[in-house]
Amino acid sequence: MTSIGGAEMVDWNLAVATATRLVRPGPEISREEARAVVAELRRHARASEEHVRRFTRMIPEGAEPEDTPVLVVDRAGWIKANVSGFRELLRPLLAKMESRRPGGPGGVVLGAVGGKVTGVELGMLLSFLASRVLGQYETFAPATRDLPASANGGGRLLLVAPNIVHVERELGVDPHDFRLWVALHEETHRTQFTGVPWLRDHLQGEIQTFLDETDVDPTTFVGRLREAAQSLSGAGRPEGEEGEDGGRSLVDLVQSPAQREVLGRLTAVMSLLEGHADYVMDGVGPEVVGSVSEIREKFQQRRARGASRLDQALRKLLGLDAKLRQYRDGEKFVRAVVEEVGMDGFNRVWTSPNTLPTKAEIARPADWVARVHRTAEP
């Protein structure tokens, strides 16, 4: 990435150091138990691959899609992996911002200070998320010395062991069943991207289009960040009075009209992917996870209950409440389509970008069925 005087727009090393320092410690666990958890998660990941393939029928029998590594990590490992992914994905945008930075000594100083501030802010964000993510398929992950990825430069499955142990204890569910249940969800994401060769490039293209439309004027961007913070805190409004932006997330407030169009398409794709993973997880569950009904009920209650007031505010700011809606709305879409046209009929969604559902079709599955499965006129 282009830099001026060696100062990058984001101090990535400081982001990792900040997040690692601030992240909450994991649950108390002995070394022997930790080794057993890691070994079991790896076994479940391998077993989930066959379960998901058989249920989804996305990968033809005998076909071997590109392999991607499965990594069982702690919270610090998740942080390092995601910083690496962010750096790769944001490279074009940050290079664009670099070109707008003034030259000379003043620009170098501004860049160095700004990079450290942004690094700290990113680290704080990652420290918040690192204790909450159970698993993740990193679609755009470049390989590093410590974190391998697929041969084409992206793709690895992460299972965050301390977070899985924390949640299974919090819910009071069978730990072995819960670990397999989580593995099934994340393995579905891996199957989506390894079984649909065009999906990764399509998603990356949409994200880059969104980033290309980003206003790179730092003053404007900071102003929008301040607006987002004020909308959450209620600053500048009489108590109890909601303005137009009440309840909107940071993502909503920094969009241009062109970005809203892209975000609508991205929201539909992410709702499909997350809802499909939830549907598969529950579809496979009764065969291999004895206590799946108890796990699902308690996990849904945990999602709905949320946590502290601060946690809820951060979730809204980061748009994480929208992600929860994606699970729910996407799962309803998948279920309705499968009930109407069967699994093979649903799998036509993976034919091309043109067969992906729109945001409106996620809410109205019958419209997608009519569009994709409409019969030719006689």
Side-chain angles (χ1 to χ4, degrees):
M1 181 172 63
T2 304
S3 62
I4 300 176
E8 294 186 349
M9 297 295 293
V10 179
D11 189 328
W12 300 104
N13 291 332
L14 184 58
V16 172
T18 300
T20 303
R21 185 176 68 253
L22 295 179
V23 71
R24 298 174 183 175
E28 292 187 8
I29 186 171
S30 69
R31 183 170 298 180
E32 293 74 17
E33 187 180 359
R35 282 198 291 263
V37 170
V38 170
E40 183 174 17
L41 286 172
R42 288 175 176 157
R43 289 196 305 271
H44 286 331
R46 288 193 296 270
S48 296
E49 185 174 0
E50 178 58 31
H51 294 317
V52 170
R53 287 188 183 188
R54 186 174 63 252
F55 183 82
T56 64
R57 301 201 291 272
M58 290 180 63
I59 299 175
E61 190 173 347
E64 284 300 327
E66 181 180 22
D67 190 29
T68 53
V70 176
L71 307 178
V72 180
V73 298
D74 58 11
R75 292 171 177 174
W78 182 89
I79 289 167
K80 291 177 182 177
N82 275 264
V83 166
S84 177
F86 281 151
R87 187 172 190 172
E88 183 68 20
L89 193 61
L90 295 177
R91 190 180 298 272
L93 174 63
L94 296 181
K96 184 177 178 182
M97 295 181 72
E98 287 277 3
S99 68
R100 295 280 296 272
R101 193 167 65 187
V108 174
V109 172
L110 177 63
V113 173
K116 292 187 179 301
V117 170
T118 309
V120 169
E121 291 174 342
L122 177 59
M124 293 172 66
L125 165 63
L126 289 171
S127 72
F128 169 77
L129 295 174
S131 61
R132 288 158 173 79
V133 176
L134 301 182
Q136 175 186 3
Y137 183 78
E138 276 202 293
T139 314
F140 311 110
T144 67
R145 184 179 60 183
D146 300 323
L147 297 165
S150 65
N152 70 353
R156 59 181 167 231
L157 181 61
L158 305 179
L159 296 172
V160 190
N163 295 350
I164 293 172
V165 171
H166 171 78
V167 174
E168 68 192 25
R169 290 179 177 178
E170 179 186 342
L171 298 180
V173 295
D174 182 281
H176 309 294
D177 282 359
F178 184 74
R179 294 164 196 174
L180 177 55
W181 190 70
V182 171
L184 287 168
H185 182 100
E186 302 309 329
E187 176 57 38
T188 303
H189 286 316
R190 185 164 71 149
T191 299
Q192 289 164 349
F193 283 95
T194 57
V196 184
W198 54 265
L199 184 58
R200 178 183 182 275
D201 289 342
H202 171 72
L203 192 59
Q204 186 173 31
E206 292 281 53
I207 293 172
Q208 289 305 327
T209 299
F210 183 89
L211 295 177
D212 287 344
E213 292 292 335
T214 300
D215 188 341
V216 294
D217 176 21
T219 303
T220 301
F221 189 72
V222 169
R224 289 180 179 176
L225 289 175
R226 186 175 298 115
E227 180 186 356
Q230 290 175 350
S231 76
L232 286 171
S233 66
R237 294 198 304 269
E239 185 176 356
E241 180 179 320
E242 287 293 332
E244 287 184 356
D245 293 332
R248 294 174 67 189
S249 74
L250 175 59
V251 172
D252 294 322
L253 290 166
V254 299
Q255 291 174 62
S256 67
Q259 284 177 308
R260 290 190 185 97
E261 293 185 15
V262 179
L263 190 65
R265 297 194 298 269
L266 281 170
T267 298
V269 174
M270 297 311 297
S271 296
L272 170 68
L273 298 179
E274 296 294 356
H276 182 236
D278 262 14
Y279 178 81
V280 172
M281 179 171 60
D282 288 344
V284 175
E287 297 181 13
V288 297
V289 181
S291 58
V292 63
S293 297
E294 178 192 3
I295 291 173
R296 165 55 77 184
E297 181 180 358
K298 289 185 175 180
F299 197 77
Q300 291 285 53
Q301 290 173 356
R302 183 179 185 271
R303 278 181 177 174
R305 186 170 61 248
S308 66
R309 188 171 180 178
L310 174 61
D311 186 75
Q312 292 172 358
L314 285 169
R315 294 182 71 88
K316 185 172 289 295
L317 174 63
L318 300 172
L320 297 181
D321 51 344
K323 185 174 177 66
L324 296 183
R325 288 195 299 273
Q326 288 172 4
Y327 286 116
R328 183 182 64 246
D329 297 344
E331 196 273 342
K332 287 180 179 178
F333 170 84
V334 176
R335 185 173 300 279
V337 172
V338 172
E339 288 177 354
E340 179 70 20
V341 296
M343 183 63 74
D344 291 333
F346 165 78
N347 280 340
R348 290 184 64 176
V349 78
W350 313 115
T351 304
S352 75
N354 292 330
T355 57
L356 291 172
T358 64
K359 188 177 179 181
E361 287 171 340
I362 288 289
R364 296 191 297 272
D367 290 355
W368 180 88
V369 172
R371 176 172 67 86
V372 176
H373 287 267
R374 60 177 176 263
T375 57
E377 294 293 333

